[in-house]
Amino acid sequence: MPRILDADTFFDYLAQGPEIFAPGCAGHSLLFEQWLRAGAERCAGLRFTGVHIPTVNTFDFAGLHPQARQRSIFLSGDLRSSWLEGRVDYLPMTYTATWRWLRESVAFDTVLVQVAPPDEDGNCSLGIACDFTPAAWPRATRVLAHINPRMPRTRGPSIPLSRITAAIEQDAPLLEIPDPPGDAAMDSVAEQVATLVEDGATLQLGLGRLQSAVLRAVRERRNLRIHSGMVSDGLLGLLESGALSPAPDAVVAGVALGTQALYDIAPRNIMFREVGHTHDHGGGIPRLTAINSALSVDLLGQVNGEFLSGRQLSGVGGLPDFLQGARQSTGGRGIIALPASTPKGESRIVPMLPAGPVSLARVDADCIVSEHGVADLRHLDVHARARALIAIAAPEHRDALQRSWQELSLRL
């Protein structure tokens, strides 16, 4: 049986080795966060590693102490101060590369988990956050668990109680992220995306406004499936409308991230799997329709999903993984969707991305969608690509984009 864990012994365990794995999404324990904040002076020399999602996992582990560090595949605004002070180790890796790294290469002194109470077989479900923890805990020296009665026991990975070093059972809120409010521009984009979604398709969607808008837009479809890294409250409307397939594995996801209403239906309606399954398709999912957002796209078909005004705000995440899966899928489509203009009226379709990293190379481009239509870039030469993208730009920017392409094409 695990030893009893409290706020004091928690730090005693952390002091036994500097490398700590701390899960993201709703696997993040608000109780452990409370202990860390209260005992920040004891975090000197510790490095916290995890996949912490921008705008979702806003806790800055590196900010706990001048000698604490954080390692992540996302560089969000919440980590900006610690990044500028040199305490953040940013890894530019995809989800599948991160999964393999955690499973095969790195070993942690301590893994923090938030789990459901043990079942009759002595297994503690990872509940609604099963993405990366199954890769990290088997190689760890010790596992510290927050056993939370509010964490639902789901169909998916678990940890044997016998493998947990120390635990506290305490009722505490789960991290909740409600769907963002409706946005007219994104709703218009989603209506265009919906024209590419057929009955019987399997959807993958990125988190945020695009996911919620697309799920509203496809409620009239039938026999849909979802195979995604994350699902949000938008799933509730899809269930109510009858759009989903009745199959028991109609919804497969790594994490559920929403409100209590989503968490209540998760055990019955979602099959949870680790990233090694959700993001590694190998062409085995027919009609996989991967739908993701971006910040900007250039006339070559290059996609930027990470940088705004030259500053990194995110990471590539699972975007390349799912685009590759969609390309390998029979009848699959890879869709990048974005409003044609920023809230300030600047064009998101630009002549060429600035020099530096791109999130998706032009050779990986498939469909680009804005509220003005669909640019199917498959099999188009570079001039036809540019024309297709200019056609879905905001009308007031099209002439300038055409002039820019004429100049740019002479330099290619």
Side-chain angles (χ1 to χ4, degrees):
M1 291 291 292
R3 302 182 187 94
I4 300 299
L5 188 66
D6 59 27
D8 190 55
T9 57
F10 176 74
F11 284 101
D12 291 340
Y13 284 115
L14 296 189
Q16 295 179 33
E19 297 294 344
I20 318 296
F21 178 82
C25 296
H28 175 78
S29 166
L30 296 176
L31 173 63
F32 286 168
E33 177 183 329
Q34 176 186 332
W35 287 358
L36 288 166
R37 290 182 184 276
E41 73 283 354
R42 300 182 67 178
C43 293
L46 301 181
R47 178 165 64 172
F48 297 86
T49 297
V51 179
H52 305 124
I53 310 301
T55 74
V56 172
N57 299 121
T58 59
F59 181 52
D60 178 8
F61 289 90
L64 287 166
H65 191 280
Q67 294 175 348
R69 302 191 67 80
Q70 184 166 349
R71 181 165 54 179
S72 179
I73 66 169
F74 292 106
L75 186 58
S76 68
D78 299 296
L79 302 182
R80 194 71 192 175
S81 294
S82 292
W83 166 259
L84 293 175
E85 292 169 5
R87 298 199 304 271
V88 174
D89 303 320
Y90 168 63
L91 305 177
M93 294 173 15
T94 66
Y95 263 40
T96 54
T98 304
W99 170 265
R100 289 193 296 269
W101 174 67
L102 291 172
R103 187 184 62 181
E104 301 170 3
S105 301
V106 63
F108 294 96
D109 298 302
T110 303
V111 167
L112 308 179
V113 297
Q114 180 174 211
V115 295
D119 61 19
E120 61 276 9
D121 296 319
N123 294 315
C124 296
S125 171
L126 287 172
I128 55 175
C130 300
D131 49 356
F132 289 98
T133 301
W137 75 258
R139 294 167 54 86
T141 303
R142 65 192 64 86
V143 177
L144 305 183
H146 173 196
I147 298 175
N148 191 345
R150 297 199 199 186
M151 178 64 80
R153 185 179 297 150
T154 59
R155 295 179 291 159
S158 60
I159 298 178
L161 188 64
S162 60
R163 183 61 174 82
I164 294 173
T165 309
I168 179 172
E169 183 164 353
Q170 183 166 317
D171 184 274
L174 298 173
L175 182 67
E176 293 191 34
I177 304 292
D179 268 2
D183 175 273
M186 194 62 81
D187 287 343
S188 296
V189 173
E191 291 295 334
Q192 293 287 346
V193 171
T195 65
L196 302 173
V197 177
E198 302 175 347
D199 289 347
T202 295
L203 305 182
Q204 177 271 324
L205 303 106
L207 194 67
R209 293 184 185 277
L210 180 63
Q211 177 171 147
S212 55
V214 169
L215 292 181
R216 288 193 298 270
V218 298
R219 289 180 183 178
E220 300 306 313
R221 303 295 187 273
R222 289 298 176 263
N223 292 314
L224 295 178
R225 290 173 173 263
I226 293 179
H227 185 106
S228 194
M230 301 180 187
V231 289
S232 68
D233 276 7
L235 177 64
L236 300 171
L238 218 58
L239 285 166
E240 293 170 1
S241 70
L244 284 174
S245 162
D249 61 346
V251 181
V252 176
V255 299
L257 194 59
T259 62
Q260 190 61 48
L262 177 67
Y263 303 158
D264 288 342
I265 63 94
R268 301 186 306 277
N269 297 105
I270 305 172
M271 180 174 288
F272 287 89
R273 295 296 303 270
E274 66 284 353
V275 165
H277 176 84
T278 57
H279 288 67
D280 186 12
H281 309 302
I285 301 175
R287 302 168 75 180
L288 177 63
T289 305
I291 305 166
N292 291 275
S293 59
L295 294 171
S296 55
V297 177
D298 71 16
L299 296 180
L300 298 174
Q302 298 181 121
V303 175
N304 164 38
E306 306 169 65
F307 286 82
L308 187 63
S309 300
R311 176 175 291 183
Q312 183 150 12
L313 298 180
S314 185
V316 295
L319 174 63
D321 302 324
F322 278 114
L323 266 292
Q324 180 181 4
R327 285 198 307 275
Q328 295 175 347
S329 168
T330 302
R333 297 306 307 265
I335 299 168
I336 298 296
L338 72 172
S341 300
T342 70
K344 295 181 179 180
E346 300 166 337
S347 181
R348 293 185 185 272
I349 297 174
V350 299
M352 181 175 283
L353 296 180
V358 298
S359 305
L360 200 67
R362 61 177 177 169
V363 296
D364 294 320
D366 182 347
C367 267
I368 311 297
V369 179
S370 79
E371 66 270 38
H372 300 292
V374 176
D376 186 344
L377 304 186
R378 297 175 301 175
H379 316 132
L380 297 183
D381 66 54
V382 292
H383 293 287
R385 278 186 170 214
R387 289 194 297 270
L389 287 163
I390 292 169
I392 65 167
E396 63 270 23
H397 293 296
R398 291 175 188 171
D399 287 345
L401 286 169
Q402 182 60 48
R403 290 193 296 270
S404 294
W405 176 251
Q406 289 172 351
E407 297 173 4
L408 176 62
S409 63
L410 296 176
R411 303 196 303 269
L412 291 178

